[in-house]
């Protein structure tokens, strides 16, 4: 996936989300994002479509509430980065 992680990072940062995106050894990409649900849904639509040079075959999603259960970022991440 050419420049896909940067594509995800730019979209997440533009939405004010925090977390990370990284390549896994099997060639898939993992993303963890924290923030308001509407912003997360916008990012999810973006990553499902993919960048101009990427090909997205499948997106698996797991929704979880942070430990504080209020839906707010936990403070573990200060920005959105590529790992």
């Amino acid at each position: 996936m050419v420049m896909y992680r940067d594509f995800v990072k730019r979209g997440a940062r533009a939405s004010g989300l925090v977390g990370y995106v990284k390549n896994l050894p099997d060639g898939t990409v993992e993303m963890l994002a924290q923030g308001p649900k509407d912003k997360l849904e916008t990012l999810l639509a973006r990553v499902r479509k993919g960048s101009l040079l990427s090909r997205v075959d499948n997106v698996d999603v797991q929704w979880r509430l942070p430990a504080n259960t209020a839906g707010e970022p936990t403070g573990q991440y200060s920005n959105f980065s590529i790992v």
Side-chain angles (χ1 to χ4, degrees), residues 38-53:
D38 63 325
K39 302 288 185 177
L40 294 168
E41 288 172 340
T42 298
L43 180 62
L44 184 56
R46 178 178 171 91
V47 301
R48 282 188 168 131
K49 183 177 179 183
S51 67
L52 181 62
L53 299 175

Side-chain angles (χ1 to χ4, degrees), residues 3 7-8 13 15 20-21 23-24 27-29 33 35-36 42 47-48 50 54-56 63-65 68-69 78:
M3 298 294 292
F7 171 79
V8 172
R13 285 186 174 182
S15 295
Y20 67 84
V21 61
N23 285 339
L24 298 179
T28 60
V29 175
T42 298
V47 301
R48 282 188 168 131
S54 66
R55 187 185 90 210
V56 179
W63 291 94
R64 297 182 186 165
L65 283 177
N68 64 19
T69 67
S78 59

